[in-house]
Amino acid sequence: SALIASVTRNIGVAVNSGLVAAQAVGGPTRMLAQPVASSSAVSASFGSSNTFPAFAPTGQFYSSAGTSLQIYTPPFTNASTPSSTITFPIGISSVAVDSAGNIYINNGSTGIAAATSGGTITANITIAGKFYREMVLSSTQLFACNISGGTGSVDVFTLPLTNASTPAFSITAVNGPEGCALDSTGNLYVANVNDGTISRFAAPFSGSSTANLTLTVVNPNTDAIFGIAIGP
């Protein structure tokens, strides 16, 4: 698998078997064909967003504008426009989609919502004192990066979400987690904005989980890691 982190002016990245999507801050989504190298050229540039995007298992691409979730259907070109749009009651900072098409969003602050593939809200929760960023899903858990406080946490929720959901536990051995991703064997990777590192955690996870690998990938004085994605 390849691990891809977004730095400087890219707020987030998403990966599927054939593409890497890089989301510029307040700018377009740029698609690059896999495998990505220093010589790679952008194959498509479209839309405008400022969020952590996601690919659905179906190959559709999800990004947002304010409270609207924009869904793009491949093939992607410079002329791509949303094939459908879903409006939510909260602003959208991050989106994740499970294998059944269910949608999970957060508002970059205290709110997380779950919805069906058609946009019907099934859970809408508020966790006081949090500032949520990128999210990632396993079959049984939702991992939400929280940058509140000095070093933040990765809050882990048991699926399915309900209106009464609260974090089952929080992984605190992090340092300003902005992005997170799971690999094919279940390892959790966390992008730490405070020190320019990526931390790897092995399953099963708990509140006492500590990193078994730390990668320093940027100079925290000049750059910062935001989104992270793992793909083939």
Side-chain angles (χ1 to χ4, degrees):
S1 296
L3 184 152
I4 299 172
S6 68
V7 298
T8 59
R9 298 297 293 173
N10 285 327
I11 189 66
V13 289
V15 176
N16 68 11
S17 60
L19 294 167
V20 173
Q23 181 61 65
V25 175
T29 294
R30 291 163 293 178
M31 294 284 183
L32 299 94
Q34 294 257 42
V36 173
S38 58
S39 58
S40 292
V42 173
S43 60
S45 179
F46 57 86
S48 179
S49 184
N50 192 24
T51 62
F52 298 97
F55 281 105
T58 57
Q60 291 178 308
F61 178 73
Y62 290 64
S63 68
S64 68
T67 60
S68 295
L69 183 64
Q70 300 171 335
I71 304 172
Y72 294 84
T73 300
F76 306 108
T77 71
N78 292 339
S80 286
T81 58
S83 55
S84 61
T85 300
I86 300 171
T87 300
F88 285 97
I90 62 174
I92 304 169
S93 175
S94 179
V95 58
V97 186
D98 68 18
S99 59
N102 296 306
I103 300 165
Y104 302 82
I105 61 171
N106 72 51
N107 66 349
S109 183
T110 60
I112 296 176
T116 64
S117 59
T120 300
I121 298 290
T122 56
N124 193 357
I125 60 177
T126 299
I127 308 297
K130 305 292 185 175
F131 290 93
Y132 287 123
R133 296 300 191 255
E134 192 169 29
M135 302 183 297
V136 67
L137 300 166
S138 72
S139 60
T140 59
Q141 294 175 313
L142 181 148
F143 302 81
C145 292
N146 156 51
I147 62 166
S148 67
T151 57
S153 63
V154 177
D155 290 352
V156 184
F157 296 82
T158 301
L159 295 177
L161 287 185
T162 71
N163 288 329
S165 289
T166 59
F169 59 89
S170 297
I171 298 172
T172 57
V174 291
N175 194 5
E178 280 276 358
C180 53
L182 292 166
D183 67 17
S184 59
T185 61
N187 292 309
L188 175 69
Y189 293 75
V190 178
N192 299 293
V193 73
N194 288 350
D195 58 8
T197 63
I198 294 174
S199 303
R200 185 182 70 187
F201 299 85
F205 309 107
S206 71
S208 59
S209 288
T210 57
N212 60 15
L213 176 69
T214 300
L215 305 172
T216 300
V217 295
V218 299
N219 182 346
N221 295 317
T222 58
D223 296 298
I225 306 174
F226 290 97
I228 184 172
I230 295 176

